[in-house]
Amino acid sequence: GVRDLFRYATIAELAPHVQTVDAAPAKAAALTQAPLAPIQAWFFAHHTVDPHWFNHAVRIHLPPEATRDTIAKAWQALWDRHEALRLRFVRRDGRWMQELTPAACPPIESLMPDQANQGFDLTRGPLVRFSLDRDPSGTTSLLIVIHH
């Protein structure tokens, strides 16, 4: 159980106590629209001008064996697993709401930094962008830009 994480200080000590469980959690009823979480409400109350530009970006340098196909499969798995990546925000009756979209996983692109860091369309989504690039030295990196 969870207590074992604190009881055993290393992976080697923990390993004999790990039990296999069904990896598929029970699915809740489908929810397509919900009120904002408190931090989301704060964001929209305080960022009234150009809220689509509040982005965070990180560049990850990848090992030479990382391929576009490998990265695309990992990205698809993340997209499928984490519904928050499929959220968009719409105004209804003067209030912001979050909606879960059935959107397909956006492709991994090869974008110039200024293209990757463009604002997002909060009402359409997706609110995340992946750009895979190779610099002149041959180093491959993945730029992830996500709306905060």
Side-chain angles (χ1 to χ4, degrees), residues 91-132:
R91 286 186 69 80
R92 294 251 160 65
D93 299 323
R95 294 183 11 216
W96 284 99
M97 299 286 291
Q98 57 184 327
E99 287 185 344
L100 184 61
T101 68
C105 181
I108 295 177
E109 303 176 271
S110 292
L111 302 169
M112 298 301 294
D114 60 326
Q115 292 173 310
N117 274 318
Q118 290 180 358
F120 290 98
D121 183 341
L122 300 181
T123 62
R124 289 187 58 212
L127 304 181
V128 62
R129 218 175 264 129
F130 275 39
S131 180
L132 191 63

Side-chain angles (χ1 to χ4, degrees), residues 30-139:
L31 177 67
T32 59
Q33 190 177 60
L36 299 177
I39 193 65
Q40 293 168 321
W42 177 90
F43 171 81
F44 283 109
H46 289 86
H47 295 277
T48 57
V49 177
D50 296 330
H52 61 283
W53 278 105
F54 200 71
N55 304 338
H56 289 275
V58 63
R59 183 172 297 278
I60 303 169
H61 296 283
L62 303 173
E65 62 272 11
T67 65
R68 178 177 283 276
D69 186 53
T70 303
I71 302 303
K73 285 178 183 176
W75 172 219
Q76 182 70 55
L78 281 170
W79 182 262
D80 292 343
R81 176 77 173 144
H82 297 286
E83 291 180 335
L85 294 172
R86 296 189 298 277
L87 289 175
R88 66 179 175 186
F89 298 93
V90 294
R91 286 186 69 80
R92 294 251 160 65
D93 299 323
R95 294 183 11 216
W96 284 99
M97 299 286 291
Q98 57 184 327
E99 287 185 344
L100 184 61
T101 68
C105 181
I108 295 177
E109 303 176 271
S110 292
L111 302 169
M112 298 301 294
D114 60 326
Q115 292 173 310
N117 274 318
Q118 290 180 358
F120 290 98
D121 183 341
L122 300 181
T123 62
R124 289 187 58 212
L127 304 181
V128 62
R129 218 175 264 129
F130 275 39
S131 180
L132 191 63
D133 305 294
R134 185 178 305 269
D135 69 20
S137 72
T139 301

